[in-house]
Amino acid sequence: MVVYQVFSRPQLIRHYATVCSEATLFKVVIWCLIIIPPFFVAHSTNDFWQYESSYREQPNVHYTRQLMVYLSDSHPARDRAWGTFTNFVQLLDDSSLTRPLVRSREIDYNRDGRVDVFNFTLEFSLSENQIVSGIRLLLFFDVRLHTFSQVQMQSLAYISSAWSTPCSSVWIGSELHIRQSEPIPRFGIFDFYNTSLINSDSRLSADYDFRTILSKYLQRNVSTTLQNSQTVWSPGQADTFTLQLELTIPNQLIVYRPGFWQLIKFAWIQYLAVFILFYVMLSWVQEFVFDNQIVRSSKHSPHKQRRQ
């Protein structure tokens, strides 16, 4: 006949001791070892406090209709410039001033309310002896993030290209990415950089110098930069020079500072994982010490109580 277990019940054994006893002191030490060391062990493995976290978001980018452009010639005296800033244009003499035809278009392919591709075209009329050897361009954008904190800032894209042979047009494709040197806040409004990058009221040429503008811009903790740039030149001499720019705004990684509860959540998970190991191991030690009466205590079990 097959015999099998039909019921089981654990037997609870209790150990009693006075407050001022070796058993009580041992119990306090055990619980201190269960609670405190797991914190230091978890903390020593790094990343206990999650000071940074990240998520993916496509920035909401719009062209502000502001730009500055320098057209380089094989002969420096024939360099040309233009911009949308009135005081900057007034600083240029007639011989160095050019007036290009500007066309821009923002494309939202998936109709989510955010620009996916920005197309920009500059067309310059050239004089008879003018040979374009390079171009420098600053485009200004309004950039916003909405997923966590409300980020709004003024940013720019710097395009620079040069070539040694006569060129009638150039196509540049690139991606506009957010560059961070520190995380953005988790909550609230972040508009610290929502100010103009150029003092358009200034009449000093130094305030419109590309080197000055870019030097100040690179000091920002949050800015935009071009990545994965590709350039195609069309060699030849023509009456016009055309720049075609195609900027893609991809879904990108944004780094932020976690809030209090997110910080505690990840710390607690790491602490609990180590706490369970210490609890199991020291419970075995505690059981061995009390069962073998290494520290003196009064042992009571349900079996003895029923006999009495």
Side-chain angles (χ1 to χ4, degrees):
M1 180 178 294
V2 178
V3 178
Y4 64 96
Q5 178 179 299
V6 293
F7 178 75
S8 66
R9 182 178 62 183
Q11 187 179 31
L12 182 64
I13 300 175
R14 292 183 171 90
H15 293 259
Y16 295 90
T18 59
V19 175
C20 298
S21 63
E22 293 180 354
T24 301
L25 179 61
F26 175 73
K27 185 71 174 181
V28 171
V29 171
I30 286 293
W31 273 107
C32 288
L33 291 175
I34 290 175
I35 295 172
I36 299 175
F39 173 81
F40 292 102
V41 172
H43 189 273
S44 66
T45 58
N46 298 326
D47 297 328
F48 182 75
W49 300 115
Q50 192 182 36
Y51 295 111
E52 293 184 4
S53 189
S54 61
Y55 69 98
R56 301 196 71 85
E57 180 180 355
Q58 182 183 11
N60 195 1
V61 180
H62 292 284
Y63 174 48
T64 61
R65 312 297 176 187
Q66 294 176 323
L67 67 89
M68 294 174 63
V69 59
Y70 281 92
L71 200 63
S72 301
D73 193 278
S74 56
H75 195 287
R78 294 197 295 262
D79 288 353
R80 298 291 185 267
W82 184 76
T84 56
F85 302 96
T86 303
N87 288 336
F88 169 67
V89 173
Q90 290 176 354
L91 291 171
L92 302 172
D93 53 47
D94 293 337
S95 62
S96 60
L97 180 63
T98 184
R99 298 184 184 278
L101 175 63
V102 182
R103 292 190 296 268
S104 64
R105 182 186 179 195
E106 296 177 346
I107 305 174
D108 180 10
Y109 286 119
N110 53 11
R111 298 183 181 180
D112 61 350
R114 302 193 180 193
V115 177
D116 298 309
V117 176
F118 171 71
N119 288 327
F120 182 82
T121 303
L122 275 176
E123 187 175 323
F124 299 87
S125 296
L126 304 179
S127 59
E128 183 178 354
N129 297 322
Q130 190 173 1
I131 300 175
V132 178
S133 61
I135 189 170
R136 292 178 296 149
L137 173 67
L138 283 179
L139 292 174
F140 297 87
F141 296 94
D142 176 76
V143 180
R144 303 190 183 198
L145 299 171
H146 302 287
T147 300
F148 287 156
S149 59
Q150 302 298 306
V151 177
Q152 183 175 3
M153 65 177 181
Q154 302 298 310
S155 70
L156 61 80
Y158 175 58
I159 296 94
S160 177
S161 187
W163 46 89
S164 57
T165 58
C167 184
S168 60
S169 67
V170 61
W171 175 91
I172 299 175
S174 189
E175 294 179 351
L176 188 68
H177 284 261
I178 290 180
R179 183 192 65 85
Q180 296 179 254
S181 57
E182 68 175 29
I184 62 174
R186 171 66 174 81
F187 302 103
I189 299 174
F190 184 78
D191 58 357
F192 184 76
Y193 298 117
N194 192 28
T195 56
S196 178
L197 294 165
I198 294 180
N199 181 12
S200 58
D201 295 328
S202 174
R203 295 180 179 273
L204 299 175
S205 59
D207 290 331
Y208 299 97
D209 182 70
F210 276 26
R211 182 165 46 190
T212 302
I213 297 169
L214 292 173
S215 178
K216 292 180 180 179
Y217 186 65
L218 290 175
Q219 294 175 11
R220 290 173 36 164
N221 294 323
V222 184
S223 59
T224 54
T225 184
L226 296 181
Q227 297 182 11
N228 304 323
S229 297
Q230 305 294 332
T231 305
V232 178
W233 296 281
S234 298
Q237 186 65 25
D239 296 335
T240 60
F241 173 79
T242 304
L243 167 69
Q244 292 179 311
L245 178 65
E246 184 175 312
L247 289 183
T248 303
I249 296 94
N251 204 30
Q252 48 199 274
L253 197 68
I254 307 298
V255 181
Y256 69 96
R257 287 190 295 270
F260 173 77
W261 290 114
Q262 184 176 351
L263 196 72
I264 293 299
K265 179 181 70 173
F266 281 96
W268 169 250
I269 291 172
Q270 296 176 78
Y271 172 80
L272 187 61
V274 182
F275 173 85
I276 292 172
L277 294 176
F278 273 77
Y279 180 82
V280 171
M281 290 187 296
L282 291 174
S283 293
W284 291 340
V285 173
Q286 188 175 216
E287 182 180 347
F288 176 81
V289 169
F290 282 116
D291 283 349
N292 293 278
Q293 289 295 298
I294 296 176
V295 293
R296 185 171 298 179
S297 63
S298 177
K299 184 177 180 181
H300 295 265
S301 65
H303 180 66
K304 288 184 178 181
Q305 292 177 359
R306 284 196 298 269
R307 282 187 174 182
Q308 294 173 1

